[in-house]
Amino acid sequence: NARVRAQEIGRLYEACMANLGRTDVSANEADALARPCVESGNRQLIDAMGQTLGTSRLLDRSIALFQQSLERDENALNARVGLVATQIAKGDYSGAVPHVERLLQWLPEDMGVLRQAVPVAKWAPDPALQDRVMQTLNRVNPSEAERAKGFFDADVPRPVGQQ
């Protein structure tokens, strides 16, 4: 019955949205809080819970939700941006490379994407991505290109990610 399904989806939305934006989600409660978001089938709610879990430093669970979102829609921009941010926070620079490359295909001159690409290119390490980022920055934002070049050239130790 469509009415019953609509009521069920409404309950799932409500249960999911009640916990979005929290910064104190514990590992013990993460799966239970994410379940209604996933069961709702609403990709935006899945993304939002991915952000919530990432903010709570539950990075593996956050990554899993963003990946589920991308399985539903491989062109989901916000899911891909969130996935890259979470992979950077985790220290998984190599894992972020294909997602940064996809974002650069879609938004080649977006400064937010380019800023995410800089640490990924340095610490993956991916010299081709580094060159691409530098070429784009030199063209669209020379002052940011200078900062990026300084970062690429500096002996900055790779941060240790968190799980």
Side-chain angles (χ1 to χ4, degrees):
N1 181 324
R3 185 178 193 161
V4 171
R5 179 64 182 147
Q7 289 174 336
E8 179 185 334
I9 289 173
R11 283 191 294 277
L12 291 169
Y13 279 24
E14 189 175 313
C16 174
M17 290 188 301
N19 293 294
L20 297 180
R22 286 183 48 189
T23 59
D24 62 345
V25 176
S26 72
N28 291 334
E29 64 184 335
D31 292 337
L33 296 181
R35 189 170 299 112
C37 303
V38 173
E39 289 177 2
S40 76
N42 183 304
R43 195 184 46 72
Q44 288 81 9
L45 290 179
I46 297 169
D47 293 351
M49 183 52 73
Q51 291 173 340
T52 296
L53 297 183
T55 302
S56 295
R57 306 303 295 167
L58 300 172
L59 303 179
D60 287 331
R61 288 183 169 114
S62 173
I63 288 169
L65 287 177
F66 287 125
Q67 288 172 334
Q68 283 184 40
S69 186
L70 288 170
E71 287 170 10
R72 294 172 189 259
D73 179 2
E74 69 179 26
N75 296 315
L77 178 65
N78 290 337
R80 203 167 296 275
V81 168
L83 176 58
V84 168
T86 307
Q87 287 174 311
I88 290 170
K90 184 180 176 186
D92 182 12
Y93 301 99
S94 296
V97 168
H99 303 290
V100 166
E101 288 176 344
R102 182 62 101 40
L103 289 169
L104 287 170
Q105 288 174 355
W106 295 335
L107 302 166
E109 297 182 355
D110 182 84
M111 288 307 300
V113 172
L114 289 164
R115 285 186 187 107
Q116 283 188 318
V118 169
V120 171
K122 180 172 178 86
W123 288 314
D126 189 317
L129 179 59
Q130 184 174 327
D131 289 344
R132 180 178 178 190
V133 169
M134 285 305 302
Q135 287 175 11
T136 303
L137 285 173
N138 279 320
R139 188 177 68 256
V140 300
N141 192 328
S143 64
E144 192 73 22
E146 288 179 36
R147 284 190 283 281
K149 182 171 180 6
F151 177 72
F152 286 138
D153 291 346
D155 186 22
V156 179
R158 179 181 172 157
V160 176
Q162 297 183 8
Q163 293 293 327

